Amino acid sequence: MINRDKLKPVIEKYKTYFPTHWRNSIDGGVSCKWEAVKCFREHWDIDAPDFADMLSQALAKTGSLLNAAHFFAGGMLIAMARVEGEIVRQMFRSLFDETQELAQRITDFEDAAEKIRAAHDDGTWNSHYQYANAISTYLWLRYPEKYYVYKYTVCHDVAVTLETDFQPKENGAAENVVQCYCLYDEIRGELCADAELSKLFADTIPDAANASEYLNTVTIDFCYYLSQVYRKEKSAPPANDAPADSAAPSIWKISEGTDATGPSSGNKKIFMEHGVVVVHGETKALGTSGQTQGEAFRLEIKKGDFFYLCYASSVQLLGQFTSDEAIENPEMGGGWYERPYRVIAKSKSTTLPYKDKLKWWTPNANTTCVRVPDDEENRGLFEKLLLMPYFGMTLYELKTASTKPDKTYGKTEFVREVYMNEREFDILSALLRENKNLILQGAPGVGKTFAARRLAYAMKGEKDDSRVKLVQFHQNYSYEDFVMGYRPDGSGFKLTKGIFYNFCREAQEHPDKEYFFIIDEINRGNLSRIFGELLMLLEKDYRGTEISLAYNGEPFSVPKNLYLIGMMNTADRSLAIMDYALRRRFKFYDMYPAFGSEGFRTYQKRLDNVLFDALIEQIKSLNREIAGDVSLGRGFCIGHSYFCGRTPQTCTEEWMYMTAEYDILPMLREYWFDEPEKVQKWEERLRGVLNDE
């Protein structure tokens, strides 16, 4: 039973919230959720010949419901269906079998997913992601009038706020779902009984004749509102209780404990790689405080706040939070939250335990998420006990570090920006460092130039273009442009040094620093004509070896500290095959679209746009067809960079339409110039996503 006296004020607040947010509310909004239901209904076919393709289309508009930062239930489900289509088909037959107990159906679905994951894990399938949240979403998509989307933290917040007897258990997923549905049924009844709210639904939802079908979805939205908006507003301090300097960032202690009291060392490593700190949402309160440490982590921390991270009493790093939002952490399961950050400094000693003065916020205190009080005494102690000994920094330097642009660039930044994983970075950097010459080849839009620049930044350790040079080859580019040649000078001609000559000389003057020469469209030029006698000097074994230049006989060499990175477009059929003499001096690395990468998924999550998610699903399906076409292949797939660089404000329907209509479709017309029926099919599918007839 719920406490109706606690429910009434939430309903009253929701009446004000709903009309302006129903299209884009918490976790997608009623309107967006219903679009996901309609898409599922339109495409769902348990007997579809290609079950994976059907599933991809049916889930195309689920957006962040099934794919979020570090949580890829939808994508993983489709991947499993591609390798075990019949098993996944049977998983859904059993899940949707209403004659069986709900808890057992949920447990069986999760167990079957784990068997597929274990059988096909190649080192990248670390999780199947088919947990109670995802499974409840499938049930709701199929029977939206009966089921709800279950989320542990939302259910927990609702149960606590409404003072119910039911409290979800951390590891009782299937049983939690059953009890949650009973709780939500009771809330739905109260929402329906409120005449003003019912009229509001009827007036707001366009298809009022079928408004009753929306009620479960509205209930889901109401519960998200209670958890993510109402509770935050209620816990916010009154204006007159705000700190005197409300703009000043707070400083927090975050402890992830030991393996026995917190996440495992394996998970801690994953968190560090992802750039997130993780705390359980129910971590207890301090002393007589009315707010738990878990709530402080979820609700109080702001973007720009500082923190230090410790594992028990061992200090690890100093960081700054980069988001106002705490989201659920997939590695730990129910109730654990994560926040992203940037590193300001690593601890000078990550193994030596702290043994100095004890305060609530020091590493040796049995606390998890605590704010360092903003007073002279505590801030002074924080500087003396932690900032100076562990990070060699004063409070003033900490404040200026947050406003100074950070040029440090390495593997972590490369992986985050380029949408590759650490192993791919290790291979790329090893190939370039060992061979001196590397070519990145791939279809348009896979981010070759972007990756080349950032590979250079990562290898030299800073995001700075002072020792990076970019040129683009073309059919008229020559040795005279590149190395040396005579150029008109008044009434005569003057011997002029080219861009590569000057860059090599600069690198020779600083042998202790690395220089990077990047060549875009390297196979568009006449390479023998451009490089001339330097062809031999590019080879790693001849670096530093001098030869005489053709024009003036000057001794010249390509220095050992200079690296060449070229880019080749594999989809341009007009380009000639690269000169073999030059080809053997380069290593070649294939780049492919990164829609499935962790980085792109995180970017997608930040956009939080169901239309964008649906368009990307179509592009992924298009790429599968291109890859399977014997006249094309993977080298012609559509790259992810066409869809990058957007914010939630600039990811508009107009931009998506322009990208599809004037970037993607013209390319398809060129690919399939002799197969117009394929072009027509994809015109219809892409325009269909964007509602353009």
Side-chain angles (χ1 to χ4, degrees), residues 10 119 171 281 311 314 349 375 534 683:
V10 188
N171 298 311
Y311 299 158
S314 299
S349 175
D375 58 59
L534 300 191
E683 284 176 343

Side-chain angles (χ1 to χ4, degrees), residues 536-563:
M536 181 188 76
L537 301 187
L538 295 181
E539 200 164 337
K540 65 174 183 177
D541 294 336
Y542 290 99
R543 291 297 184 94
T545 301
E546 291 186 338
I547 63 168
S548 298
L549 293 177
Y551 273 92
N552 63 357
E554 176 186 341
F556 183 81
S557 66
V558 177
K560 295 180 179 180
N561 60 323
L562 187 144
Y563 299 89

